[in-house]
Amino acid sequence: MFFDGERKKNISQTIGDLTRKIRSFLAHDFFHNPIVQWMFIGAFFFNMINWAMLFFFIKPINFPIILHYNVYFGVDIIGNWWQVYFLPAMGAAFFAINMILAYVFFQSRERIASYLLLLTSFILQVGNIIASSGVIFINY
């Protein structure tokens, strides 16, 4: 037997404590604000679209692909196919950081700063979709 009765009790108690903490975190006014909800849903939706577009159009290949094209200089960056996924990964990282900062500012009653961070995150995701579309268009 891997776990005795005391160990099972401690694990279930730890899981119960964790679920209570998550519920109290999500019960905060931040997540019930309509502006926060729409910006969160929009940024998350656009990030998922970005991942899906790249997954659908960029396939694993053995030769390098164009990762960045500049009108003035032409092709700037060439790399492996999997490096194209850094763009939505960085978008997701910025999204997470902005959400955490927006939550902190919202708690300290700096609502406008919180909304600006969320709007920035949303606009960044739209910009990532435009950049990913350019990479797809160049390589497809």
Side-chain angles (χ1 to χ4, degrees), residues 81-137:
W81 65 271
W82 55 267
Q83 290 176 325
V84 78
Y85 290 105
F86 282 134
L87 194 62
M90 290 302 294
F94 282 121
F95 174 61
I97 291 168
N98 280 354
M99 281 301 295
I100 292 168
L101 288 174
Y103 179 77
V104 169
F105 282 127
F106 197 90
Q107 278 187 326
S108 64
R109 303 285 184 220
E110 295 291 336
R111 304 275 166 108
I112 294 176
S114 177
Y115 296 153
L116 285 175
L117 281 167
L118 292 169
L119 182 64
T120 302
S121 183
F122 179 78
I123 292 171
L124 180 75
Q125 299 304 325
V126 172
N128 274 346
I129 285 181
I130 293 169
S132 293
S133 298
V135 169
I136 290 169
F137 182 70

Side-chain angles (χ1 to χ4, degrees), residues 25-42 99 102-103 105-107 109-116 118:
F25 176 73
L26 293 176
H28 194 270
D29 289 340
F30 179 74
F31 297 104
H32 294 291
N33 188 318
I35 296 172
V36 172
Q37 287 176 349
W38 280 106
M39 289 296 167
F40 177 82
I41 290 169
M99 281 301 295
Y103 179 77
F105 282 127
F106 197 90
Q107 278 187 326
R109 303 285 184 220
E110 295 291 336
R111 304 275 166 108
I112 294 176
S114 177
Y115 296 153
L116 285 175
L118 292 169

